[in-house]
Amino acid sequence: MDLDAIQQIFFQECEEGLAGMEGAFAAIRADQYDGETINGIFRAVHSIKGGAGAFGHERLQAYTHQYETLLDLLRSETLALTPPLVDLIVAAFDMLSDHVAAARDAGDAPDDSAMLARLIAASSGEAPAPAAPEPVAA
């Protein structure tokens, strides 16, 4: 099996992990979750980070590192999973999906600077800031 085939398996596993995360977020939003739900989200991000590093997707790896840091604080209950943090980890998921698509399609990585700043701030114990509003097309 060549490296390209192995990388395609990585991207399939990314899609499976992302799908699992969506299910976990639905459970969280319905207040029907437990510690294993957060662990599952953490493991999916951790796996994506590892594969990204192995295949040289540095931007994806750096992004997942910060996302994983916040998730680890949530799963260890160092931080409480408040509604603003739920909103943040779901928004971070959307950016993660964009990163995976860019890596898979050899496109430009998304501008994740604002989201990274939000993840870092939340990991430091700051209350998550709301997302900046999307510009409205004229």
Side-chain angles (χ1 to χ4, degrees), residues 47-80:
S47 293
I48 292 170
K49 181 182 86 171
F55 292 107
H57 300 293
E58 294 173 4
R59 292 281 310 273
L60 175 57
Q61 183 183 23
Y63 180 79
T64 53
H65 176 72
Q66 290 304 323
Y67 194 7
E68 177 186 59
T69 297
L70 178 59
L71 292 168
D72 191 38
L73 293 169
L74 291 170
R75 75 182 186 141
S76 69
E77 298 181 0
T78 301
L79 292 175

PDB file of all heavy atoms in Angstrom, residues 47-80:
ATOM      1  N   SER A  47      -7.112  11.956  17.123  1.00  0.00           N
ATOM      2  CA  SER A  47      -6.765  11.103  15.975  1.00  0.00           C
ATOM      3  C   SER A  47      -6.491  11.938  14.732  1.00  0.00           C
ATOM      4  O   SER A  47      -5.543  11.653  13.981  1.00  0.00           O
ATOM      5  CB  SER A  47      -7.891  10.109  15.697  1.00  0.00           C
ATOM      6  OG  SER A  47      -7.995   9.200  16.749  1.00  0.00           O
ATOM      7  N   ILE A  48      -7.312  12.951  14.519  1.00  0.00           N
ATOM      8  CA  ILE A  48      -7.096  13.823  13.358  1.00  0.00           C
ATOM      9  C   ILE A  48      -5.758  14.538  13.502  1.00  0.00           C
ATOM     10  O   ILE A  48      -4.990  14.646  12.535  1.00  0.00           O
ATOM     11  CB  ILE A  48      -8.262  14.811  13.189  1.00  0.00           C
ATOM     12  CG1 ILE A  48      -9.535  14.048  12.781  1.00  0.00           C
ATOM     13  CG2 ILE A  48      -7.926  15.889  12.155  1.00  0.00           C
ATOM     14  CD1 ILE A  48     -10.805  14.869  12.813  1.00  0.00           C
ATOM     15  N   LYS A  49      -5.449  14.983  14.705  1.00  0.00           N
ATOM     16  CA  LYS A  49      -4.169  15.668  14.939  1.00  0.00           C
ATOM     17  C   LYS A  49      -2.996  14.736  14.615  1.00  0.00           C
ATOM     18  O   LYS A  49      -2.048  15.140  13.944  1.00  0.00           O
ATOM     19  CB  LYS A  49      -4.062  16.144  16.384  1.00  0.00           C
ATOM     20  CG  LYS A  49      -2.758  16.897  16.668  1.00  0.00           C
ATOM     21  CD  LYS A  49      -2.642  17.325  18.109  1.00  0.00           C
ATOM     22  CE  LYS A  49      -2.044  16.195  18.919  1.00  0.00           C
ATOM     23  NZ  LYS A  49      -1.695  16.588  20.294  1.00  0.00           N
ATOM     24  N   GLY A  50      -3.056  13.511  15.070  1.00  0.00           N
ATOM     25  CA  GLY A  50      -1.977  12.566  14.819  1.00  0.00           C
ATOM     26  C   GLY A  50      -1.767  12.286  13.345  1.00  0.00           C
ATOM     27  O   GLY A  50      -0.640  12.294  12.846  1.00  0.00           O
ATOM     28  N   GLY A  51      -2.864  12.045  12.642  1.00  0.00           N
ATOM     29  CA  GLY A  51      -2.765  11.802  11.200  1.00  0.00           C
ATOM     30  C   GLY A  51      -2.283  13.025  10.449  1.00  0.00           C
ATOM     31  O   GLY A  51      -1.487  12.927   9.509  1.00  0.00           O
ATOM     32  N   ALA A  52      -2.754  14.192  10.861  1.00  0.00           N
ATOM     33  CA  ALA A  52      -2.322  15.429  10.206  1.00  0.00           C
ATOM     34  C   ALA A  52      -0.810  15.596  10.335  1.00  0.00           C
ATOM     35  O   ALA A  52      -0.134  15.964   9.374  1.00  0.00           O
ATOM     36  CB  ALA A  52      -3.051  16.627  10.806  1.00  0.00           C
ATOM     37  N   GLY A  53      -0.296  15.292  11.512  1.00  0.00           N
ATOM     38  CA  GLY A  53       1.146  15.385  11.711  1.00  0.00           C
ATOM     39  C   GLY A  53       1.899  14.374  10.862  1.00  0.00           C
ATOM     40  O   GLY A  53       2.930  14.696  10.266  1.00  0.00           O
ATOM     41  N   ALA A  54       1.368  13.171  10.793  1.00  0.00           N
ATOM     42  CA  ALA A  54       2.034  12.116  10.019  1.00  0.00           C
ATOM     43  C   ALA A  54       2.101  12.438   8.532  1.00  0.00           C
ATOM     44  O   ALA A  54       3.068  12.060   7.861  1.00  0.00           O
ATOM     45  CB  ALA A  54       1.310  10.784  10.233  1.00  0.00           C
ATOM     46  N   PHE A  55       1.089  13.149   8.029  1.00  0.00           N
ATOM     47  CA  PHE A  55       1.047  13.448   6.600  1.00  0.00           C
ATOM     48  C   PHE A  55       1.480  14.879   6.266  1.00  0.00           C
ATOM     49  O   PHE A  55       1.358  15.319   5.128  1.00  0.00           O
ATOM     50  CB  PHE A  55      -0.349  13.158   6.037  1.00  0.00           C
ATOM     51  CG  PHE A  55      -0.656  11.699   6.033  1.00  0.00           C
ATOM     52  CD1 PHE A  55      -1.553  11.172   6.946  1.00  0.00           C
ATOM     53  CD2 PHE A  55      -0.023  10.832   5.154  1.00  0.00           C
ATOM     54  CE1 PHE A  55      -1.835   9.804   6.965  1.00  0.00           C
ATOM     55  CE2 PHE A  55      -0.289   9.470   5.166  1.00  0.00           C
ATOM     56  CZ  PHE A  55      -1.193   8.961   6.077  1.00  0.00           C
ATOM     57  N   GLY A  56       1.988  15.600   7.249  1.00  0.00           N
ATOM     58  CA  GLY A  56       2.540  16.917   6.987  1.00  0.00           C
ATOM     59  C   GLY A  56       1.517  18.030   6.823  1.00  0.00           C
ATOM     60  O   GLY A  56       1.843  19.079   6.259  1.00  0.00           O
ATOM     61  N   HIS A  57       0.316  17.837   7.339  1.00  0.00           N
ATOM     62  CA  HIS A  57      -0.706  18.890   7.276  1.00  0.00           C
ATOM     63  C   HIS A  57      -0.553  19.761   8.522  1.00  0.00           C
ATOM     64  O   HIS A  57      -1.284  19.629   9.505  1.00  0.00           O
ATOM     65  CB  HIS A  57      -2.107  18.276   7.181  1.00  0.00           C
ATOM     66  CG  HIS A  57      -2.299  17.413   5.979  1.00  0.00           C
ATOM     67  ND1 HIS A  57      -2.292  17.917   4.696  1.00  0.00           N
ATOM     68  CD2 HIS A  57      -2.483  16.073   5.862  1.00  0.00           C
ATOM     69  CE1 HIS A  57      -2.478  16.922   3.840  1.00  0.00           C
ATOM     70  NE2 HIS A  57      -2.584  15.794   4.525  1.00  0.00           N
ATOM     71  N   GLU A  58       0.440  20.650   8.451  1.00  0.00           N
ATOM     72  CA  GLU A  58       0.847  21.412   9.633  1.00  0.00           C
ATOM     73  C   GLU A  58      -0.237  22.332  10.161  1.00  0.00           C
ATOM     74  O   GLU A  58      -0.416  22.448  11.375  1.00  0.00           O
ATOM     75  CB  GLU A  58       2.119  22.203   9.318  1.00  0.00           C
ATOM     76  CG  GLU A  58       3.307  21.296   9.074  1.00  0.00           C
ATOM     77  CD  GLU A  58       4.534  22.050   8.598  1.00  0.00           C
ATOM     78  OE1 GLU A  58       4.503  23.307   8.523  1.00  0.00           O
ATOM     79  OE2 GLU A  58       5.534  21.382   8.296  1.00  0.00           O
ATOM     80  N   ARG A  59      -0.963  23.003   9.291  1.00  0.00           N
ATOM     81  CA  ARG A  59      -2.019  23.920   9.763  1.00  0.00           C
ATOM     82  C   ARG A  59      -3.127  23.138  10.457  1.00  0.00           C
ATOM     83  O   ARG A  59      -3.639  23.558  11.490  1.00  0.00           O
ATOM     84  CB  ARG A  59      -2.596  24.726   8.591  1.00  0.00           C
ATOM     85  CG  ARG A  59      -1.647  25.733   7.961  1.00  0.00           C
ATOM     86  CD  ARG A  59      -1.499  27.036   8.735  1.00  0.00           C
ATOM     87  NE  ARG A  59      -2.728  27.685   9.110  1.00  0.00           N
ATOM     88  CZ  ARG A  59      -3.411  28.533   8.355  1.00  0.00           C
ATOM     89  NH1 ARG A  59      -2.976  28.876   7.156  1.00  0.00           N
ATOM     90  NH2 ARG A  59      -4.530  29.088   8.805  1.00  0.00           N
ATOM     91  N   LEU A  60      -3.502  22.001   9.887  1.00  0.00           N
ATOM     92  CA  LEU A  60      -4.528  21.152  10.510  1.00  0.00           C
ATOM     93  C   LEU A  60      -4.030  20.641  11.856  1.00  0.00           C
ATOM     94  O   LEU A  60      -4.764  20.652  12.846  1.00  0.00           O
ATOM     95  CB  LEU A  60      -4.888  19.986   9.574  1.00  0.00           C
ATOM     96  CG  LEU A  60      -5.843  18.932  10.109  1.00  0.00           C
ATOM     97  CD1 LEU A  60      -7.167  19.537  10.565  1.00  0.00           C
ATOM     98  CD2 LEU A  60      -6.079  17.864   9.039  1.00  0.00           C
ATOM     99  N   GLN A  61      -2.786  20.243  11.912  1.00  0.00           N
ATOM    100  CA  GLN A  61      -2.223  19.742  13.161  1.00  0.00           C
ATOM    101  C   GLN A  61      -2.194  20.836  14.226  1.00  0.00           C
ATOM    102  O   GLN A  61      -2.567  20.595  15.385  1.00  0.00           O
ATOM    103  CB  GLN A  61      -0.813  19.206  12.931  1.00  0.00           C
ATOM    104  CG  GLN A  61      -0.199  18.611  14.188  1.00  0.00           C
ATOM    105  CD  GLN A  61       1.226  18.137  13.969  1.00  0.00           C
ATOM    106  OE1 GLN A  61       1.918  18.584  13.063  1.00  0.00           O
ATOM    107  NE2 GLN A  61       1.669  17.229  14.814  1.00  0.00           N
ATOM    108  N   ALA A  62      -1.779  22.035  13.864  1.00  0.00           N
ATOM    109  CA  ALA A  62      -1.717  23.145  14.829  1.00  0.00           C
ATOM    110  C   ALA A  62      -3.118  23.499  15.332  1.00  0.00           C
ATOM    111  O   ALA A  62      -3.316  23.744  16.525  1.00  0.00           O
ATOM    112  CB  ALA A  62      -1.049  24.359  14.199  1.00  0.00           C
ATOM    113  N   TYR A  63      -4.080  23.509  14.429  1.00  0.00           N
ATOM    114  CA  TYR A  63      -5.449  23.833  14.823  1.00  0.00           C
ATOM    115  C   TYR A  63      -6.002  22.768  15.777  1.00  0.00           C
ATOM    116  O   TYR A  63      -6.559  23.097  16.823  1.00  0.00           O
ATOM    117  CB  TYR A  63      -6.355  23.965  13.584  1.00  0.00           C
ATOM    118  CG  TYR A  63      -7.759  24.293  13.972  1.00  0.00           C
ATOM    119  CD1 TYR A  63      -8.105  25.594  14.324  1.00  0.00           C
ATOM    120  CD2 TYR A  63      -8.739  23.312  14.040  1.00  0.00           C
ATOM    121  CE1 TYR A  63      -9.394  25.901  14.727  1.00  0.00           C
ATOM    122  CE2 TYR A  63     -10.022  23.609  14.448  1.00  0.00           C
ATOM    123  CZ  TYR A  63     -10.344  24.912  14.786  1.00  0.00           C
ATOM    124  OH  TYR A  63     -11.615  25.210  15.207  1.00  0.00           O
ATOM    125  N   THR A  64      -5.822  21.509  15.422  1.00  0.00           N
ATOM    126  CA  THR A  64      -6.357  20.448  16.279  1.00  0.00           C
ATOM    127  C   THR A  64      -5.661  20.435  17.636  1.00  0.00           C
ATOM    128  O   THR A  64      -6.286  20.060  18.631  1.00  0.00           O
ATOM    129  CB  THR A  64      -6.242  19.058  15.616  1.00  0.00           C
ATOM    130  OG1 THR A  64      -4.898  18.826  15.203  1.00  0.00           O
ATOM    131  CG2 THR A  64      -7.184  18.930  14.432  1.00  0.00           C
ATOM    132  N   HIS A  65      -4.416  20.854  17.682  1.00  0.00           N
ATOM    133  CA  HIS A  65      -3.717  20.909  18.969  1.00  0.00           C
ATOM    134  C   HIS A  65      -4.444  21.853  19.932  1.00  0.00           C
ATOM    135  O   HIS A  65      -4.670  21.501  21.094  1.00  0.00           O
ATOM    136  CB  HIS A  65      -2.267  21.345  18.777  1.00  0.00           C
ATOM    137  CG  HIS A  65      -1.533  21.519  20.068  1.00  0.00           C
ATOM    138  ND1 HIS A  65      -1.153  20.452  20.855  1.00  0.00           N
ATOM    139  CD2 HIS A  65      -1.150  22.638  20.723  1.00  0.00           C
ATOM    140  CE1 HIS A  65      -0.564  20.913  21.944  1.00  0.00           C
ATOM    141  NE2 HIS A  65      -0.550  22.239  21.892  1.00  0.00           N
ATOM    142  N   GLN A  66      -4.810  23.026  19.459  1.00  0.00           N
ATOM    143  CA  GLN A  66      -5.502  23.982  20.329  1.00  0.00           C
ATOM    144  C   GLN A  66      -6.909  23.511  20.678  1.00  0.00           C
ATOM    145  O   GLN A  66      -7.364  23.673  21.814  1.00  0.00           O
ATOM    146  CB  GLN A  66      -5.560  25.365  19.673  1.00  0.00           C
ATOM    147  CG  GLN A  66      -4.221  26.038  19.590  1.00  0.00           C
ATOM    148  CD  GLN A  66      -3.534  26.164  20.940  1.00  0.00           C
ATOM    149  OE1 GLN A  66      -4.159  26.405  21.968  1.00  0.00           O
ATOM    150  NE2 GLN A  66      -2.229  25.991  20.952  1.00  0.00           N
ATOM    151  N   TYR A  67      -7.586  22.920  19.719  1.00  0.00           N
ATOM    152  CA  TYR A  67      -8.933  22.392  19.953  1.00  0.00           C
ATOM    153  C   TYR A  67      -8.862  21.268  20.989  1.00  0.00           C
ATOM    154  O   TYR A  67      -9.642  21.229  21.943  1.00  0.00           O
ATOM    155  CB  TYR A  67      -9.487  21.894  18.623  1.00  0.00           C
ATOM    156  CG  TYR A  67     -10.966  21.606  18.547  1.00  0.00           C
ATOM    157  CD1 TYR A  67     -11.863  21.903  19.566  1.00  0.00           C
ATOM    158  CD2 TYR A  67     -11.479  21.028  17.396  1.00  0.00           C
ATOM    159  CE1 TYR A  67     -13.223  21.624  19.445  1.00  0.00           C
ATOM    160  CE2 TYR A  67     -12.824  20.757  17.259  1.00  0.00           C
ATOM    161  CZ  TYR A  67     -13.695  21.057  18.286  1.00  0.00           C
ATOM    162  OH  TYR A  67     -15.041  20.779  18.152  1.00  0.00           O
ATOM    163  N   GLU A  68      -7.906  20.395  20.822  1.00  0.00           N
ATOM    164  CA  GLU A  68      -7.708  19.268  21.738  1.00  0.00           C
ATOM    165  C   GLU A  68      -7.397  19.758  23.160  1.00  0.00           C
ATOM    166  O   GLU A  68      -7.879  19.171  24.136  1.00  0.00           O
ATOM    167  CB  GLU A  68      -6.559  18.405  21.204  1.00  0.00           C
ATOM    168  CG  GLU A  68      -6.179  17.246  22.066  1.00  0.00           C
ATOM    169  CD  GLU A  68      -4.941  16.549  21.538  1.00  0.00           C
ATOM    170  OE1 GLU A  68      -3.880  17.201  21.415  1.00  0.00           O
ATOM    171  OE2 GLU A  68      -5.040  15.356  21.252  1.00  0.00           O
ATOM    172  N   THR A  69      -6.636  20.824  23.276  1.00  0.00           N
ATOM    173  CA  THR A  69      -6.295  21.365  24.597  1.00  0.00           C
ATOM    174  C   THR A  69      -7.560  21.756  25.352  1.00  0.00           C
ATOM    175  O   THR A  69      -7.730  21.397  26.530  1.00  0.00           O
ATOM    176  CB  THR A  69      -5.344  22.569  24.453  1.00  0.00           C
ATOM    177  OG1 THR A  69      -4.127  22.113  23.851  1.00  0.00           O
ATOM    178  CG2 THR A  69      -5.048  23.215  25.794  1.00  0.00           C
ATOM    179  N   LEU A  70      -8.459  22.467  24.684  1.00  0.00           N
ATOM    180  CA  LEU A  70      -9.707  22.861  25.333  1.00  0.00           C
ATOM    181  C   LEU A  70     -10.548  21.631  25.680  1.00  0.00           C
ATOM    182  O   LEU A  70     -11.090  21.524  26.785  1.00  0.00           O
ATOM    183  CB  LEU A  70     -10.501  23.819  24.443  1.00  0.00           C
ATOM    184  CG  LEU A  70     -11.856  24.265  25.014  1.00  0.00           C
ATOM    185  CD1 LEU A  70     -11.692  24.970  26.353  1.00  0.00           C
ATOM    186  CD2 LEU A  70     -12.571  25.146  24.016  1.00  0.00           C
ATOM    187  N   LEU A  71     -10.641  20.695  24.757  1.00  0.00           N
ATOM    188  CA  LEU A  71     -11.432  19.482  25.015  1.00  0.00           C
ATOM    189  C   LEU A  71     -10.868  18.685  26.184  1.00  0.00           C
ATOM    190  O   LEU A  71     -11.627  18.115  26.974  1.00  0.00           O
ATOM    191  CB  LEU A  71     -11.495  18.621  23.755  1.00  0.00           C
ATOM    192  CG  LEU A  71     -12.305  19.215  22.607  1.00  0.00           C
ATOM    193  CD1 LEU A  71     -12.051  18.429  21.322  1.00  0.00           C
ATOM    194  CD2 LEU A  71     -13.792  19.258  22.946  1.00  0.00           C
ATOM    195  N   ASP A  72      -9.550  18.653  26.323  1.00  0.00           N
ATOM    196  CA  ASP A  72      -8.936  17.936  27.438  1.00  0.00           C
ATOM    197  C   ASP A  72      -9.316  18.583  28.768  1.00  0.00           C
ATOM    198  O   ASP A  72      -9.575  17.891  29.753  1.00  0.00           O
ATOM    199  CB  ASP A  72      -7.420  17.885  27.267  1.00  0.00           C
ATOM    200  CG  ASP A  72      -6.765  16.926  28.236  1.00  0.00           C
ATOM    201  OD1 ASP A  72      -7.333  15.846  28.512  1.00  0.00           O
ATOM    202  OD2 ASP A  72      -5.667  17.258  28.736  1.00  0.00           O
ATOM    203  N   LEU A  73      -9.365  19.898  28.792  1.00  0.00           N
ATOM    204  CA  LEU A  73      -9.774  20.603  30.016  1.00  0.00           C
ATOM    205  C   LEU A  73     -11.240  20.320  30.353  1.00  0.00           C
ATOM    206  O   LEU A  73     -11.605  20.232  31.527  1.00  0.00           O
ATOM    207  CB  LEU A  73      -9.538  22.110  29.862  1.00  0.00           C
ATOM    208  CG  LEU A  73      -8.075  22.532  29.777  1.00  0.00           C
ATOM    209  CD1 LEU A  73      -7.961  23.995  29.350  1.00  0.00           C
ATOM    210  CD2 LEU A  73      -7.352  22.284  31.088  1.00  0.00           C
ATOM    211  N   LEU A  74     -12.054  20.137  29.326  1.00  0.00           N
ATOM    212  CA  LEU A  74     -13.461  19.807  29.557  1.00  0.00           C
ATOM    213  C   LEU A  74     -13.618  18.368  30.040  1.00  0.00           C
ATOM    214  O   LEU A  74     -14.385  18.105  30.966  1.00  0.00           O
ATOM    215  CB  LEU A  74     -14.275  20.027  28.275  1.00  0.00           C
ATOM    216  CG  LEU A  74     -14.439  21.489  27.852  1.00  0.00           C
ATOM    217  CD1 LEU A  74     -15.031  21.562  26.453  1.00  0.00           C
ATOM    218  CD2 LEU A  74     -15.285  22.248  28.859  1.00  0.00           C
ATOM    219  N   ARG A  75     -12.878  17.462  29.436  1.00  0.00           N
ATOM    220  CA  ARG A  75     -13.045  16.057  29.842  1.00  0.00           C
ATOM    221  C   ARG A  75     -12.467  15.783  31.224  1.00  0.00           C
ATOM    222  O   ARG A  75     -12.940  14.894  31.929  1.00  0.00           O
ATOM    223  CB  ARG A  75     -12.498  15.092  28.795  1.00  0.00           C
ATOM    224  CG  ARG A  75     -11.017  14.969  28.733  1.00  0.00           C
ATOM    225  CD  ARG A  75     -10.596  14.027  27.622  1.00  0.00           C
ATOM    226  NE  ARG A  75      -9.169  13.843  27.689  1.00  0.00           N
ATOM    227  CZ  ARG A  75      -8.556  12.707  27.481  1.00  0.00           C
ATOM    228  NH1 ARG A  75      -9.226  11.633  27.172  1.00  0.00           N
ATOM    229  NH2 ARG A  75      -7.261  12.638  27.554  1.00  0.00           N
ATOM    230  N   SER A  76     -11.472  16.561  31.639  1.00  0.00           N
ATOM    231  CA  SER A  76     -10.922  16.402  32.984  1.00  0.00           C
ATOM    232  C   SER A  76     -11.723  17.197  34.014  1.00  0.00           C
ATOM    233  O   SER A  76     -11.400  17.168  35.196  1.00  0.00           O
ATOM    234  CB  SER A  76      -9.460  16.859  33.013  1.00  0.00           C
ATOM    235  OG  SER A  76      -9.377  18.264  32.834  1.00  0.00           O
ATOM    236  N   GLU A  77     -12.718  17.914  33.535  1.00  0.00           N
ATOM    237  CA  GLU A  77     -13.592  18.760  34.356  1.00  0.00           C
ATOM    238  C   GLU A  77     -12.836  19.907  35.021  1.00  0.00           C
ATOM    239  O   GLU A  77     -13.280  20.454  36.022  1.00  0.00           O
ATOM    240  CB  GLU A  77     -14.390  17.930  35.358  1.00  0.00           C
ATOM    241  CG  GLU A  77     -15.308  16.939  34.672  1.00  0.00           C
ATOM    242  CD  GLU A  77     -16.142  16.110  35.631  1.00  0.00           C
ATOM    243  OE1 GLU A  77     -16.032  16.282  36.859  1.00  0.00           O
ATOM    244  OE2 GLU A  77     -16.916  15.279  35.139  1.00  0.00           O
ATOM    245  N   THR A  78     -11.701  20.273  34.425  1.00  0.00           N
ATOM    246  CA  THR A  78     -11.003  21.479  34.849  1.00  0.00           C
ATOM    247  C   THR A  78     -11.850  22.693  34.478  1.00  0.00           C
ATOM    248  O   THR A  78     -11.879  23.682  35.197  1.00  0.00           O
ATOM    249  CB  THR A  78      -9.606  21.551  34.190  1.00  0.00           C
ATOM    250  OG1 THR A  78      -8.871  20.387  34.564  1.00  0.00           O
ATOM    251  CG2 THR A  78      -8.854  22.796  34.608  1.00  0.00           C
ATOM    252  N   LEU A  79     -12.517  22.603  33.341  1.00  0.00           N
ATOM    253  CA  LEU A  79     -13.488  23.602  32.914  1.00  0.00           C
ATOM    254  C   LEU A  79     -14.855  22.935  32.848  1.00  0.00           C
ATOM    255  O   LEU A  79     -14.960  21.771  32.451  1.00  0.00           O
ATOM    256  CB  LEU A  79     -13.142  24.150  31.521  1.00  0.00           C
ATOM    257  CG  LEU A  79     -11.882  24.993  31.381  1.00  0.00           C
ATOM    258  CD1 LEU A  79     -11.651  25.343  29.911  1.00  0.00           C
ATOM    259  CD2 LEU A  79     -11.984  26.261  32.217  1.00  0.00           C
ATOM    260  N   ALA A  80     -15.884  23.680  33.220  1.00  0.00           N
ATOM    261  CA  ALA A  80     -17.259  23.174  33.131  1.00  0.00           C
ATOM    262  C   ALA A  80     -17.800  23.416  31.728  1.00  0.00           C
ATOM    263  O   ALA A  80     -17.495  24.446  31.105  1.00  0.00           O
ATOM    264  CB  ALA A  80     -18.140  23.869  34.158  1.00  0.00           C
TER     265      ALA A  80
END
